[in-house]
């Protein structure tokens, strides 16, 4: 049961709400001839131009040009996008229902290291259906590519705190990245680090 002073629930996206399959994505890129992909790709924080993409420093077009150059052969944009999307598995309906239920009682926020391509894909696939929009699920959405900074940098938390007028001690934050949780805990947030594919509904019973 949550502390009675909690009035805000903050969700990370990938690894908490959305399932991730890094091995499948690595295999898909290696099948295209991109053996260097392991350096760039991580569940919580990317490297190189992948990180630039998540911090909004390069556009969708620039990212895919650099990725195509990295692969170094005549692969199509469609093949590259397909390989990249193998990173994602699913966002279960029970988690969507949970967010809607929590939204009735708490302020609900999304805080994610994510790029524009993945976010737009997921927003349309998971949140813009059955007559819903993203605002039905979250009061505020804070995305690294829009803010220009990635977790676990403290600045992204400070930006969220100021914009949403939060008191960290009154917030319950779920993130699968240990470094992200460590920073948030030091800042006063009450935190939980879910295991892979964990059903964490028991936290809100």
């Amino acid at each position: 049961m949550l502390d009675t002073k909690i009035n805000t629930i903050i969700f990370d996206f990938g690894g908490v709400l959305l399932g991730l399959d890094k091995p499948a994505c690595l295999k898909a890129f290696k099948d295209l001839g991109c053996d260097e992909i392991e350096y760039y790709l991580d569940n919580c924080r990317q490297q190189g131009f992948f990180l630039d993409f998540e911090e909004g420093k390069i556009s969708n077009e620039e990212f895919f040009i650099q990725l195509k150059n990295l692969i170094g052969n005549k692969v199509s944009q469609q093949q590259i996008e397909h390989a990249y999307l193998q990173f994602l598995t699913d966002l279960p309906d029970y988690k969507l229902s949970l967010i809607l239920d929590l939204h009735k009682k708490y302020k609900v926020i999304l805080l994610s290291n994510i790029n524009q391509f993945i976010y737009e894909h997921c927003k349309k696939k998971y949140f813009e259906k059955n007559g819903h929009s993203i605002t039905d699920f979250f009061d505020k959405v804070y995305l690294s590519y829009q803010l220009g900074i990635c977790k676990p940098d403290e600045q992204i938390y400070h930006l969220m705190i100021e914009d949403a007028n939060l008191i960290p001690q009154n917030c319950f934050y779920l993130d699968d990245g240990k470094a992200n949780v460590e920073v948030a805990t030091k800042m006063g947030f009450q935190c939980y680090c879910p295991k892979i594919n964990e059903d964490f509904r028991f936290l809100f019973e």
Side-chain angles (χ1 to χ4, degrees):
M1 182 176 292
L2 295 185
D3 190 316
T4 55
K5 68 182 179 182
I6 296 296
N7 58 28
T8 302
I9 311 295
I10 304 168
F11 287 103
D12 176 36
F13 190 46
V16 174
L17 298 177
L18 179 70
L20 300 177
D21 191 343
K22 180 180 174 182
C25 188
L26 293 176
K27 181 181 184 302
F29 274 113
K30 288 180 179 181
D31 288 346
L32 293 179
C34 187
D35 294 328
E36 303 91 342
I37 191 64
E38 288 191 56
Y39 166 74
Y40 296 95
L41 208 58
D42 186 76
N43 281 11
C44 298
R45 184 182 172 95
Q46 314 305 332
Q47 300 292 330
F49 68 92
F50 276 74
L51 178 59
D52 290 340
F53 193 30
E54 293 217 327
E55 291 185 337
K57 294 176 180 176
I58 57 176
S59 66
N60 278 353
E61 183 180 4
E62 291 169 322
F63 171 76
F64 284 109
I65 288 173
Q66 290 195 46
L67 189 48
K68 199 166 186 177
N69 289 339
L70 178 68
I71 296 172
N73 59 29
K74 294 182 179 179
V75 295
S76 68
Q77 175 89 5
Q78 187 176 15
Q79 286 176 298
I80 294 173
E81 291 181 2
H82 177 76
Y84 198 11
L85 291 175
Q86 300 314 296
F87 203 169
L88 318 179
T89 57
D90 193 25
L91 200 170
D93 286 340
Y94 78 82
K95 290 186 179 180
L96 292 171
S97 296
L98 173 64
I99 299 169
L100 289 173
D101 287 341
L102 291 172
H103 203 206
K104 298 172 185 176
K105 183 177 179 181
Y106 302 97
K107 180 184 291 186
V108 182
I109 290 174
L110 182 69
L111 174 66
S112 178
N113 286 353
I114 196 168
N115 60 63
Q116 183 180 0
F117 171 71
I118 295 295
Y119 176 67
E120 293 296 338
H121 170 83
C122 292
K123 184 173 71 167
K124 182 176 181 179
K125 183 174 182 178
Y126 299 114
F127 298 109
E128 294 179 349
K129 63 179 185 179
N130 300 323
H132 288 300
S133 68
I134 193 78
T135 55
D136 295 325
F137 297 90
F138 304 106
D139 295 278
K140 294 276 189 176
V141 173
Y142 297 98
L143 310 174
S144 61
Y145 84 89
Q146 294 177 341
L147 298 174
I149 195 165
C150 279
K151 299 177 288 183
D153 194 308
E154 281 191 20
Q155 185 60 26
I156 197 168
Y157 299 97
H158 287 303
L159 289 170
M160 176 181 65
I161 290 167
E162 182 176 354
D163 182 76
N165 194 27
L166 302 178
I167 298 173
Q169 290 78 8
N170 295 348
C171 300
F172 185 60
Y173 173 45
L174 293 86
D175 195 309
D176 66 318
K178 290 183 179 180
N180 302 338
V181 167
E182 287 173 1
V183 170
T185 300
K186 289 177 183 177
M187 296 177 71
F189 291 92
Q190 297 189 41
C191 299
Y192 183 78
C193 191
K195 300 178 180 67
I196 296 173
N197 297 321
E198 181 178 358
D199 181 348
F200 45 76
R201 283 178 289 185
F202 70 93
L203 295 168
F204 305 101
E205 293 175 351

